Amino acid sequence: MTNLLLASTKNTDNQNRQYTPLNDPEIASVVAHINEEHLDELLGFLSVFTSLSTAELDLVDAQITDIYAEGIAIQTCPKGSENQPTDAQDSSLHDQIFFIAFAAPISQLDDLQAQYILLKQRADKKLGKKTIKLTKQVFDVQSSYRISKNMLRLELSMPSLDDAQSSDIKDATSSTSVPTNEAGYAYLFDLEHNAMTSALMTDSIDGNEADGNAVNDSEKNNVRPTRLHCYYTLRKAWHTDDDIRAWVDVFLHGDTSGGNWAAALKTGETVVTKREFPEKVEHLRGGQGVLIVDETSMPTAARLLELWNNPTPPLVICVTQDADDQSYFDTVKMRSSLDSIGNDNSNIDNKIDCDTETHGNDHFTVLPIVTNQANSGSDLATLIDSTLGDYLTDNPLQIDKVWGALEANTAKALRPLLRERLELSRTDVVVKVYWRHD
Ligand SMILES: Cc1cc2nc3c(=O)[nH]c(=O)nc-3n(C[C@H](O)[C@H](O)[C@H](O)COP(=O)(O)OP(=O)(O)OC[C@H]3O[C@@H](n4cnc5c(N)ncnc54)[C@H](O)[C@@H]3O)c2cc1C
C-alpha cells in the first residue's frame, strides 16, 4: 500500500525534509512535462492513493511540486481557475500537498519512468481503467503500401490466441491480445530488432560466421538506428479466420529512423513491440467534439471516427504539410466499425465526400489546413486556433470537447488558446504531444 502523507502548505517544508532530493538538473523539465501532459494521471493518483473523495477531486486540478527518491509530491490547485471565479470553490482543498510513494525508491531520474508506470498501473487498475502495458508482442509483416502521398500502411498479422493457446486455458480477458475496438491504441516499436535482424542476415549471407559467429558489440553499434524505439498507433485491428490483422500507418517525412524502418520492412519479417498504451479519448463520448490532427495523429482520428459512439459527429481539423495527404480521410466511414466488434470489417471502400455530402448523423466535416512545411511550432497553434475561430463564426457551434495530437510546441501553445476560445476546462481539451521538432 502506498504511504500517504497529507500536509498543508504551512508545513510542506517540514514534510519534505523526510524525503531524499534527487538533485538532478533535469527534474524541473520532467515536472513541467508531467504537469503539462499528465494531469489526469495525477488526479488518478490522488483518487486512489489519498483519502480525497470524488466530489472533492472534481473541484481541483493537481500538479507535481517535486520528485524525490521515495516518491512524488502532488499539490492540489483550483480547477480551471482561468475560467471560474475562485470564491465559487472550496478553497480548503487548494494548495494541499500529498506525498505518493513509489513501490521502490529510485536513485536517479532515469529510474523514474519505471516507478511512475507502476504507480499508473496500480491506480488505473483500482479505477477500472485500461492502462499502459510493458509486454513484448511480435507481429509478422504481411505487406506495406502507400495510402496517401506520404503515408505508408503496414499490414501486420499475429496468430490469434485461438490458434496459439489450447482452448482450455483461454478465458474472456485473454480472448484478444490486440484491441480491435479501441482508437489511438499505441505501440512502442523496437526499431533495433529489425536493424539487428538485417545485420545478422547480411552477416550470414556474406558467410562471415567463421570470424565470430554473431554480430559483435562494435558491429551492433554500427547497425543501431539513431532512435531505438518509436511509437506508432494501431490504426485498426480485426480478426480473420486464421489470425489477427492490424494496420499501422507511418508518416514518411524524409530520412528518419522511424520512416526508414517502416519503408525497409519486407513481407515475412517480424516486428516487435515493447510497450503499449490506450489513448485518452473517453471524454469524447458526449457533446460536440473537435479532433485536431497532423499526419502522425490522423490514424487515431480515423479509428475514432469508425468507432464514433456519440450522437453528434465531430469536426476534424486536419493539418498536413502536403495537400495530397488530405485524402487520408476519404475512405474513412463514420461508425463503420461500431457493429463489428469482434468481426472482420476490413473492407472499407466507401468513399465519402466529407465536405460536401451529408450522411445524416454520420457526416463529419474535415477542415483542411495545408502548410507546405513541417507542422510544428507555436505559429501553427495560432493558425489552427484562428481557422477554428473563422469556422465557428460561419457555423455557430458550441464545442464541448477537444482531442488532438500534434508536435510538442504546437500542442503547448494550442491548449491555452483553445481553452480560452471555447471556454473549456483542461480535462475537456486533450491535446497530446505525438512528436518533437528537433
Ligand atoms: C502515442 C503516439 C502515437 C503515434 N502514432 C503515430 C502514427 O500512427 N503514425 C506516425 O507516423 N507517427 C505516429 N507517432 C509519431 C511518431 O512516433 C513520431 O513522429 C516519431 O518521432 C517519428 O520518428 P522518426 O524517426 O520518423 O523521426 P524522429 O527521429 O523523431 O525525428 C527526426 C527528424 O524528423 C523530424 N520529425 C519528426 N516527426 C516529424 C513529423 N511528424 N513531421 C515532420 N517532421 C518530423 C524531427 O523534428 C527531426 O528533425 C505517434 C507518437 C505517439 C507518442
Side-chain angles (χ1 to χ4, degrees):
M1 185 67 193
T2 299
N3 299 327
L4 162 68
L5 271 173
L6 170 57
S8 74
T9 34
K10 287 178 219 133
N11 59 1
T12 299
D13 288 343
N14 289 336
Q15 297 286 3
N16 289 349
R17 251 179 241 135
Q18 301 173 34
Y19 305 111
T20 318
L22 285 175
N23 292 327
D24 188 308
E26 294 291 314
I27 282 194
S29 66
V30 171
V31 165
H33 164 80
I34 296 176
N35 288 337
E36 188 74 34
E37 305 280 326
H38 301 273
L39 169 67
D40 59 326
E41 288 164 9
L42 300 182
L43 290 170
F45 294 167
L46 291 180
S47 162
V48 168
F49 301 130
T50 76
S51 55
L52 284 176
S53 67
T54 312
E56 287 171 324
L57 280 166
D58 277 348
L59 300 172
V60 294
D61 276 344
Q63 56 179 19
I64 290 193
T65 53
D66 215 337
I67 300 170
Y68 301 95
E70 298 84 1
I72 53 181
I74 302 182
Q75 181 175 34
T76 53
C77 49
K79 183 172 187 171
S81 49
E82 63 269 44
N83 294 328
Q84 291 175 28
T86 336
D87 55 8
Q89 301 170 27
D90 180 357
S91 57
S92 66
L93 293 171
H94 303 155
D95 302 329
Q96 293 190 33
I97 293 191
F98 298 84
F99 181 77
I100 310 289
F102 296 138
I106 59 176
S107 54
Q108 52 185 2
L109 201 55
D110 280 352
D111 303 330
L112 172 67
Q113 191 178 54
Q115 289 303 319
Y116 188 91
I117 287 174
L118 278 174
L119 281 180
K120 179 166 166 51
Q121 288 175 325
R122 288 170 57 201
D124 286 343
K125 192 173 173 194
K126 281 212 163 176
L127 293 168
K129 286 171 67 176
K130 290 167 191 150
T131 195
I132 187 164
K133 287 196 220 162
L134 301 179
T135 36
K136 177 180 164 179
Q137 303 244 44
V138 181
F139 294 86
D140 293 320
V141 178
Q142 292 294 332
S143 61
S144 65
Y145 48 92
R146 299 270 177 145
I147 47 159
S148 68
K149 186 170 174 199
N150 299 294
M151 194 67 103
L152 182 75
R153 172 158 294 164
L154 305 175
E155 185 164 329
L156 308 175
S157 68
M158 176 187 273
S160 64
L161 288 175
D162 297 359
D163 301 331
Q165 293 185 339
S166 68
S167 55
D168 51 344
I169 58 167
K170 271 191 301 172
D171 61 33
T173 54
S174 69
S175 62
T176 175
S177 53
V178 181
T180 51
N181 59 348
E182 271 190 59
Y185 197 83
Y187 285 93
L188 186 66
F189 283 88
D190 180 358
L191 308 191
E192 202 181 11
H193 162 78
N194 298 90
M196 297 303 287
T197 311
S198 119
L200 282 166
M201 293 283 287
T202 314
D203 198 35
S204 102
I205 289 164
D206 291 349
N208 286 345
E209 283 105 319
D211 297 339
N213 291 322
V215 177
N216 66 32
D217 278 351
S218 76
E219 283 169 327
K220 266 186 203 166
N221 289 337
N222 287 339
V223 298
R224 202 161 256 206
T226 327
R227 296 179 71 113
L228 303 181
H229 312 110
C230 201
Y231 275 111
Y232 291 111
T233 305
L234 184 65
R235 160 67 183 82
K236 171 186 165 77
W238 68 98
H239 290 270
T240 71
D241 289 343
D242 306 319
D243 55 18
I244 297 172
R245 290 290 166 122
W247 286 343
V248 173
D249 293 348
V250 177
F251 174 45
L252 305 180
H253 53 92
D255 181 12
T256 67
S257 299
N260 292 345
W261 165 81
L265 289 172
K266 303 260 181 320
T267 302
E269 268 187 68
T270 54
V271 289
V272 171
T273 63
K274 302 176 85 169
R275 188 186 299 168
E276 52 199 85
F277 69 90
E279 186 50 89
K280 269 185 245 173
V281 289
E282 298 84 9
H283 68 302
L284 297 172
R285 287 204 187 122
Q288 174 65 60
V290 177
L291 310 179
I292 304 172
V293 296
D294 67 10
E295 298 91 342
T296 63
S297 45
M298 292 193 303
T300 300
R303 193 63 182 148
L304 270 170
L305 290 163
E306 288 168 0
L307 294 166
W308 196 251
N309 205 357
N310 166 343
T312 313
L315 172 68
V316 182
I317 299 180
C318 177
V319 190
T320 60
Q321 175 167 357
D322 197 313
D324 288 341
D325 287 315
Q326 290 284 335
S327 63
Y328 186 85
F329 284 104
D330 286 356
T331 52
V332 174
K333 192 175 175 193
M334 235 180 107
R335 304 182 214 277
S336 56
S337 291
L338 271 186
D339 56 350
S340 71
I341 292 167
N343 299 321
D344 176 13
N345 189 21
S346 57
N347 299 319
I348 294 171
D349 55 4
N350 330 38
K351 192 170 167 74
I352 56 170
D353 182 345
C354 306
D355 291 323
T356 55
E357 272 183 50
T358 300
H359 292 255
N361 237 359
D362 284 351
H363 170 68
F364 63 96
T365 302
V366 177
L367 205 52
I369 300 178
V370 176
T371 58
N372 296 311
Q373 60 185 19
N375 291 314
S376 62
S378 57
D379 287 352
L380 178 60
T382 311
L383 177 64
I384 292 171
D385 176 56
S386 64
T387 306
L388 177 61
D390 292 346
Y391 179 84
L392 294 178
T393 305
D394 297 339
N395 306 272
L397 278 180
Q398 170 62 47
I399 305 290
D400 305 304
K401 310 281 175 182
V402 178
W403 182 87
L406 300 160
E407 187 272 338
N409 289 321
T410 310
K412 195 172 175 194
L414 186 59
R415 291 180 191 121
L417 291 176
L418 293 179
R419 288 202 295 263
E420 190 180 332
R421 175 178 295 285
L422 306 171
E423 299 182 346
L424 293 177
S425 70
R426 283 175 65 165
T427 41
D428 288 331
V429 178
V430 176
V431 181
K432 300 282 300 288
V433 170
Y434 266 16
W435 64 281
R436 283 169 203 282
H437 187 65
D438 282 351

